[in-house]
Amino acid sequence: MDDSIGTRIAAARERAGMNRNQLARALGTSWQHVDHWEKGRTKPTVESVRRLSELLDVSVDALLGIESAPAPRTTLERFLRERAPADLTADEERWLRQAPLDDARATPDDYRDLVERVRAVGRRRAATARVGSGTRRKVDGERLAEALSERRGETG
């Protein structure tokens, strides 16, 4: 297995969910430049390695092969870090970690959609029953089941 800096850059870029063009734009360079690094034709400068480390959320040492690269972030972790609603509660995050979604197939948008559906179920229930303040924010198994079945198109 090739263990060059280029291979480590490519792996970190893929873990970050970026293509060469996206990474190049974020770095202010061309996709061909990134391609040359990844294929070992050229080596990035020290400043480029520092920027790659920041953009790809991996240590400089991991890019240089001094330490092992971190385990890939899961789709859920990317959602929580980059796309979760600002008002996501600890209960909702705990619930998402237990949600029966296949993280290997799920996208961050799948998690966002599920949060929205669970919240919508809570709002519908709150509208039809007398409930106390804060009920919308609570997640329970029944709401989860209802939101998941709606997502699959099992109910209308």
Side-chain angles (χ1 to χ4, degrees):
M1 178 176 123
D2 183 16
D3 193 35
S4 68
I5 190 169
T7 302
R8 290 187 294 274
I9 291 169
R13 175 183 53 75
E14 290 169 6
R15 275 193 305 276
M18 298 174 85
N19 63 37
R20 286 183 183 102
N21 195 35
Q22 291 168 323
L23 179 57
R25 276 184 283 170
L27 289 167
T29 190
S30 69
W31 71 266
Q32 292 95 338
H33 205 133
V34 173
D35 185 64
H36 285 282
W37 292 338
E38 292 184 359
K39 291 183 177 171
R41 293 184 188 128
T42 61
K43 303 274 189 234
T45 64
V46 172
E47 179 59 22
S48 294
V49 171
R50 187 190 65 73
R51 287 282 295 134
L52 286 163
S53 169
E54 292 171 1
L55 290 168
L56 300 175
D57 195 27
V58 63
S59 71
V60 169
D61 285 349
L63 287 174
L64 297 175
I66 296 169
E67 69 179 32
S68 297
R73 282 191 306 214
T74 64
T75 304
L76 175 57
E77 293 302 326
R78 281 197 343 250
F79 165 76
L80 292 171
R81 183 176 180 169
E82 300 164 7
R83 296 194 184 168
D87 64 342
L88 188 75
T89 67
D91 283 341
E92 288 170 329
E93 181 177 337
R94 208 171 12 262
W95 164 80
L96 280 173
R97 292 185 184 285
Q98 298 170 358
L101 284 180
D102 180 0
D103 194 75
R105 289 184 178 165
T107 67
D109 288 338
D110 292 331
Y111 286 103
R112 180 190 43 78
D113 182 54
L114 199 50
V115 168
E116 289 172 4
R117 288 181 183 277
V118 166
R119 288 178 173 183
V121 168
R123 284 191 296 273
R124 283 195 308 266
R125 285 191 180 171
T128 60
R130 290 193 170 273
V131 292
S133 173
T135 301
R136 173 186 98 51
R137 311 287 282 169
K138 296 179 181 149
V139 177
D140 61 33
E142 198 174 314
R143 282 172 54 192
L144 168 60
E146 190 174 335
L148 284 171
S149 66
E150 284 181 3
R151 186 171 185 273
R152 290 185 204 117
E154 295 172 3
T155 64

